[in-house]
Amino acid sequence: MVHIRIEDLESYAFNNNIPIMQKDGIEFLCKYIKENNIKNILEIGSAIGYSAIKMALVDSDVKVTTIERDKERYDIAVNNIKKFNLQDRINIINEDALILNIGINDKYDLIFIDAAKSQYIKFFEKFEKNLKDGGVIVSDNLSFHGLVEDESKTNNRNTKQLVRKIRKYIDYLKDNPNYKTTFYELGDGVAISIKIK
């Protein structure tokens, strides 16, 4: 019996300043999962488990492996997954994704990158070996609150460096011959990269 609603997670994230996928972004992703019959998902960056839960709720056949390095957020996510009774379909790992080794034989239909933005290229290159042929890598936060399009909105040096790293990642996706990437102005900027080789 579920005593928690998705709205409760959204409120918690908002009140505690925890970044979760924006509403139109997650709705778009869930629709994509449903329409493309995606069953096996790897998520880099669980936060409080919000997007893993949303993706698992698309269909009873969907399985999600999700990685979160922050112990406090991991514990909250584990609790939330239990409240939705999804612990048999969501496997959450408390580890730094760049250190974690996933077996080469573990293959996913979809890999969702929503973690440290400065590391997106490293995440992409590390885990693409776990993507099935014809599989898809989804990247979130590529607009970064509009700063990627207009860097002048911030004077913060660290933020500017981060914006440049996101731009570099966008160029990396555009120039990657093994993937066909489409960019969507949804949520905080979403890219879908379909593996073509």
Side-chain angles (χ1 to χ4, degrees):
M1 177 99 178
V2 172
H3 297 294
I4 186 171
R5 303 167 312 141
I6 279 291
E7 290 79 10
D8 298 331
L9 298 187
E10 290 166 353
S11 300
Y12 180 88
F14 179 78
N15 293 331
N16 292 277
N17 206 18
I18 293 168
I20 58 169
M21 203 171 184
Q22 289 185 17
K23 222 162 188 174
D24 56 346
I26 191 71
E27 296 304 335
F28 170 76
L29 179 55
C30 289
K31 189 169 173 234
Y32 186 91
I33 289 165
K34 193 172 182 64
E35 286 175 354
N36 292 277
N37 203 27
I38 283 160
K39 301 297 181 205
N40 209 3
I41 299 167
L42 174 65
E43 177 183 50
I44 319 298
S46 323
I48 57 167
Y50 173 74
S51 43
I53 289 164
K54 285 281 284 183
M55 292 188 288
L57 290 173
V58 168
D59 192 282
S60 59
D61 291 342
V62 174
K63 285 191 162 53
V64 182
T65 299
T66 182
I67 307 163
E68 177 56 52
R69 70 178 183 184
D70 184 295
K71 181 70 169 82
E72 193 181 340
R73 287 184 182 178
Y74 164 83
D75 289 339
I76 294 166
V78 167
N79 200 20
N80 287 333
I81 291 161
K82 278 186 183 153
K83 285 178 183 168
F84 278 92
N85 202 22
L86 289 168
Q87 58 271 37
D88 58 334
R89 293 200 288 117
I90 299 176
N91 172 29
I92 182 164
I93 302 163
N94 181 208
E95 182 61 272
D96 183 330
L98 292 175
I99 296 170
L100 181 73
N101 283 315
I102 289 184
I104 191 85
N105 295 323
D106 291 329
K107 299 289 185 188
Y108 299 91
D109 305 314
L110 185 148
I111 297 174
F112 178 42
I113 303 176
D114 190 14
K117 288 174 269 299
S118 59
Q119 305 290 348
Y120 270 25
I121 292 176
K122 285 184 184 170
F123 291 138
F124 194 104
E125 291 180 340
K126 180 175 168 72
F127 291 105
E128 65 173 332
K129 69 179 186 323
N130 299 106
L131 190 65
K132 287 179 184 170
D133 289 339
V136 60
I137 297 181
V138 179
S139 313
D140 190 30
N141 297 122
L142 298 187
S143 172
F144 196 41
H145 319 299
L147 295 174
V148 172
E149 293 79 18
D150 183 5
E151 200 182 309
S152 69
K153 289 180 183 171
T154 179
N155 293 318
N156 182 308
R157 190 167 150 266
N158 289 347
T159 306
K160 286 194 173 196
Q161 280 182 331
L162 192 51
V163 164
R164 284 180 197 129
K165 283 186 175 166
I166 297 170
R167 282 197 188 134
K168 191 178 169 193
Y169 179 66
I170 290 168
D171 289 338
Y172 169 83
L173 295 180
K174 285 178 181 171
D175 298 337
N176 193 323
N178 302 321
Y179 294 83
K180 181 181 185 297
T181 298
T182 310
F183 297 90
Y184 297 89
E185 289 180 14
L186 286 153
D188 198 18
V190 178
I192 290 195
S193 307
I194 298 170
K195 189 176 183 181
I196 51 177
K197 288 186 183 175

